[in-house]
Amino acid sequence: MIEPVDCSKGSIENNGTVVVDRVADILERELQKLIEAWLTRVQQEPDLINILLNHEERTGHLPHLIHDVIIRLRLEAGTKAPISKAAAFHGDLRHKQGYTVAMMVEESRLLQVSIFTILHENVKHLEYSALLPDVVTIADEVDAQLKEQILRFMAAEDIENTKGKLHDIGRIKQNAKPRA
């Protein structure tokens, strides 16, 4: 459960200066903590931990996906966001690793929960005027990444199915040849 935090317009350092950060800065600074928080949540999900992966195989994609979120947060308002290449790679990777689409959706949900928890833990340092728009941007980017992951995952499934059908057709043709 998330505990309420005493909010102010930043935290005051020893010299009396108020420190206020943008969401992108906090995510960048807290990257490793965010990854470990996500991994802790993943390890509590039986479906996800049934796929046996080492730390790098399970989390190696996260710095790239989070970096894409940070880039998106720093774009000028109204700028069209690029499609995440990291998300496309992740969709291919998870297909090879034996994931299902539902498992990828769960990982994405856990990423959003982890990001928002990190932001809550740093609420005293946040620039409030940008907080809600940045939360919307994060949700939109993580969902866009998930869409790209699923598209690539499904394309890999289609290729796999097509190869299987071609193999079956080849076997049928081989068996249908007249014997002399």
Side-chain angles (χ1 to χ4, degrees):
M1 175 132 201
I2 296 178
E3 297 294 322
V5 175
D6 179 28
C7 298
S8 62
K9 290 198 176 202
S11 61
I12 300 174
E13 290 190 341
N14 290 341
N15 63 4
T17 306
V18 175
V19 178
V20 179
D21 290 323
R22 298 287 308 229
V23 167
D25 299 328
I26 290 171
L27 295 180
E28 200 167 52
R29 183 178 66 238
E30 300 288 337
L31 180 63
Q32 289 308 311
K33 184 177 179 183
L34 173 55
I35 291 169
E36 292 309 314
W38 176 86
L39 182 59
T40 298
R41 286 182 172 85
V42 166
Q43 290 170 335
Q44 296 171 6
E45 297 296 326
D47 289 347
L48 297 178
I49 60 171
N50 280 336
I51 304 289
L52 300 177
L53 302 172
N54 65 34
H55 188 273
E56 176 60 25
E57 291 167 331
R58 189 157 319 268
T59 65
H61 67 288
L62 282 175
H64 306 289
L65 293 179
I66 296 166
H67 178 72
D68 286 350
V69 170
I70 292 167
I71 288 173
R72 174 85 184 273
L73 286 165
R74 290 181 172 150
L75 287 177
E76 291 291 324
T79 304
K80 183 168 171 43
I83 294 172
S84 172
K85 291 179 182 168
F89 176 78
H90 183 244
D92 290 337
L93 178 65
R94 287 302 193 235
H95 180 265
K96 290 175 189 166
Q97 292 170 331
Y99 270 58
T100 64
V101 170
M103 294 164 84
M104 291 175 25
V105 170
E106 184 64 8
E107 276 193 340
S108 182
R109 184 187 73 77
L110 295 173
L111 178 58
Q112 287 192 55
V113 169
S114 299
I115 289 171
F116 297 143
T117 300
I118 290 291
L119 294 179
H120 181 75
E121 291 169 358
N122 286 274
V123 73
K124 289 183 179 182
H125 303 282
L126 284 170
E127 181 182 325
Y128 289 107
S129 65
L131 180 59
L132 285 178
D134 283 352
V135 166
V136 170
T137 299
I138 290 167
D140 186 59
E141 177 62 22
V142 173
D143 287 349
Q145 289 178 2
L146 177 60
K147 177 184 175 184
E148 184 62 22
Q149 291 168 27
I150 291 173
L151 288 172
R152 288 295 289 264
F153 184 95
M154 290 170 39
E157 287 267 299
D158 289 345
I159 290 169
E160 200 172 85
N161 290 338
T162 300
K163 284 180 181 178
K165 288 176 185 175
L166 291 175
H167 178 73
D168 291 345
I169 291 170
R171 237 179 343 118
I172 292 168
K173 285 183 178 180
Q174 185 70 22
N175 290 336
K177 287 184 181 177
R179 298 183 184 187

